[in-house]
Amino acid sequence: MDPYSSSSQSGRSGPSPEVLMDQVKQQLAQAYAEEFFGTLREKCFAKCVTKPGTSLSGSESSCISRCVERYIEATGIISRSVLSSMPR
Amino acid sequence: MDNASLDSPATAELQSFLEQEKQRAMLNELVAKLTDVCWDKCITGSPGSKFSSSESTCLTNCAQRFLETSALILRRFQSMQQ
């Protein structure tokens, strides 16, 4: 994780900006995916598993699949709505 | 670190990259928050295989009204502080 020690040519110039930027992008994408997963789990569990039984039923599982698809779609709708209300 | 002077072109490039990523992260955060709130408000039944037109209209309106509410409260808040 230390960008200075991960350089192969010990400390003279360090990793290039491109390498650092890639690392930052990857870490941001990872953090975003984890947070999104957590939200999906919370929202779809609340919607689809209203009375937890001894296992997930077929209808609960298919509700969860639809819920995940709809939540992703909702994110796109909201995103477009926000962008359309921004200047420029 | 003595491996690059602080105002090298590489540092400037990184700074503008980070600024850009920060903006992007803030926008993502806003969209995530709005989706969270508007999902609860607009999707009341169990999720179907496709949104009804009233559901998608509700989501679009919800996002707009939330931003409007936020601006309104901000103005009220600022006038209270004077």
Side-chain angles (χ1 to χ4, degrees):
Chain A
M1 286 295 108
D2 179 0
Y4 297 102
S5 60
S6 63
S7 167
S8 51
Q9 74 282 57
S10 59
R12 208 185 62 78
S13 60
S16 66
E18 287 70 29
V19 169
L20 282 175
M21 289 190 275
D22 271 359
Q23 284 178 0
V24 168
K25 275 186 184 163
Q26 259 175 44
Q27 285 172 22
L28 283 171
Q30 174 75 21
Y32 185 71
E34 280 171 23
E35 195 182 315
F36 195 59
F37 167 74
T39 306
L40 284 173
R41 182 175 57 186
E42 187 188 315
K43 294 294 180 186
C44 298
F45 187 77
K47 261 248 182 278
C48 299
V49 189
T50 49
K51 196 168 164 289
T54 52
S55 68
L56 280 182
S57 69
S59 65
E60 284 166 338
S61 306
S62 54
C63 176
I64 289 165
S65 306
R66 286 193 305 273
C67 175
V68 167
E69 284 168 24
R70 292 295 75 70
Y71 202 88
I72 291 168
E73 190 183 345
T75 303
I77 292 173
I78 300 281
S79 180
R80 284 192 294 280
S81 179
V82 168
L83 289 174
S84 78
S85 71
M86 283 190 171
R88 202 163 54 85
Chain B
M1 301 298 153
D2 55 13
N3 46 12
S5 84
L6 278 175
D7 47 25
S8 71
T11 306
E13 191 189 351
L14 279 175
Q15 270 170 351
S16 79
F17 165 78
L18 287 175
E19 188 52 42
Q20 191 189 321
E21 288 302 316
K22 197 171 121 189
Q23 299 285 338
R24 205 195 301 275
M26 282 167 61
L27 184 61
N28 277 342
E29 197 64 38
L30 176 65
V31 169
K33 176 71 189 166
L34 288 170
T35 308
D36 183 330
V37 170
C38 297
W39 172 266
D40 290 343
K41 229 182 239 309
C42 298
I43 316 302
T44 48
S46 125
S49 52
K50 152 177 204 306
F51 279 140
S52 68
S53 66
S54 71
E55 282 170 327
S56 43
T57 307
C58 179
L59 289 171
T60 303
N61 290 340
C62 174
Q64 304 280 334
R65 297 297 79 73
F66 190 96
L67 294 176
E68 221 175 277
T69 303
S70 149
L72 189 68
I73 290 177
L74 194 60
R75 279 200 300 278
R76 277 290 280 126
F77 193 68
Q78 281 165 340
S79 71
M80 272 158 45
Q81 289 182 319
Q82 281 158 10

